Amino acid sequence: MTTVEEVLGRPVQEVDRRAKRVAVHTFRPRRSWPAVITGLVILAVAVIAAAEVIAALAGNPLRLIPVGPATDYATTTTWSEPSVLIASAVLALIGTALIVVALVPGRGRWTALRTDDPAFVVGLTRPALRRAVSAAAQEISGVEHAHVTVRGNRLRIHVRTGMRDARGLPTQVTRSVEHRLAELAPLRSMRITTHVRYAEG
């Protein structure tokens, strides 16, 4: 049996899932430079090849590419030749590398925040996230300085304190950061690691 609460809750859950998908897609890191470089190389090769073919058909070959020696080499070389096998392996490796570069996401510069509205997408840059987390850590009494590094969904916090007995400080800093993250509401949960170092003033 379906209750009224379940029926009313389904549209909200669907909107929440759609909002997550939109935010993830919007802030997905793109690998623009590898695509641009590969496209320019392919375009240059295609232009040179087209110019060679058109010039050869017109009876005045450009000879930008040594077609004659390449044709002679291709007609006298078999597939089992070591040079052909090595060239094929190199091209296969280049192709595999391009596929891997295209499939593996790049390093994201934004942290998507939860909004529960597909039409409203909010992101926080890594420097802004570091500043927010550092400010939350420095709110704790005894913390003189906090350095934050962000890698994926991991936060590493290095805290400097002048307190000789700082046994409870890592827990306090972690709780303060967790509270700040709960306010920011990042789409992906983040793992926090806190290190405290004593530095005499």
Side-chain angles (χ1 to χ4, degrees), residues 24 40 47 51-53 70 72 88 93 104 137 163-164 166-167:
V24 168
L40 289 175
V47 168
E52 283 284 359
V53 170
D72 296 339
S88 300
L93 286 175
V104 177
M163 299 167 51
R164 291 187 178 273
R167 282 175 291 186

Side-chain angles (χ1 to χ4, degrees), residues 128-177:
L129 179 62
R130 285 197 298 267
R131 286 193 298 270
V133 171
S134 178
Q138 293 184 65
E139 289 177 358
I140 303 302
S141 177
V143 174
E144 296 179 354
H145 178 73
H147 177 73
V148 180
T149 57
V150 183
R151 289 184 180 175
N153 63 336
R154 295 183 181 183
L155 284 174
R156 193 178 296 272
I157 307 164
H158 296 271
V159 172
R160 189 177 69 224
T161 180
M163 299 167 51
R164 291 187 178 273
D165 185 11
R167 282 175 291 186
L169 199 59
T171 303
Q172 294 177 23
V173 170
T174 301
R175 286 178 181 169
S176 178
V177 170

Side-chain angles (χ1 to χ4, degrees), residues 39-186:
L40 289 175
V41 170
I42 293 174
L43 177 63
V45 171
V47 168
I48 293 172
E52 283 284 359
V53 170
I54 293 171
L57 291 175
N60 189 17
L62 297 176
R63 303 193 188 282
L64 296 174
I65 304 174
V67 180
T71 303
D72 296 339
Y73 179 78
T75 55
T76 58
T77 306
T78 62
W79 286 102
S80 59
E81 289 285 335
S83 58
V84 176
L85 294 176
I86 292 172
S88 300
V90 169
L91 291 175
L93 286 175
I94 293 173
T96 304
L98 290 174
I99 291 172
V100 169
V101 167
L103 293 178
V104 177
R107 185 181 177 186
R109 294 181 295 173
W110 296 83
T111 298
L113 304 182
R114 188 184 305 277
T115 62
D116 300 329
D117 184 358
F120 184 59
V121 180
V122 177
L124 200 63
T125 63
R126 284 178 179 271
L129 179 62
R130 285 197 298 267
R131 286 193 298 270
V133 171
S134 178
Q138 293 184 65
E139 289 177 358
I140 303 302
S141 177
V143 174
E144 296 179 354
H145 178 73
H147 177 73
V148 180
T149 57
V150 183
R151 289 184 180 175
N153 63 336
R154 295 183 181 183
L155 284 174
R156 193 178 296 272
I157 307 164
H158 296 271
V159 172
R160 189 177 69 224
T161 180
M163 299 167 51
R164 291 187 178 273
D165 185 11
R167 282 175 291 186
L169 199 59
T171 303
Q172 294 177 23
V173 170
T174 301
R175 286 178 181 169
S176 178
V177 170
E178 287 174 345
H179 180 69
R180 182 60 51 86
L181 290 176
E183 294 175 344
L184 295 173

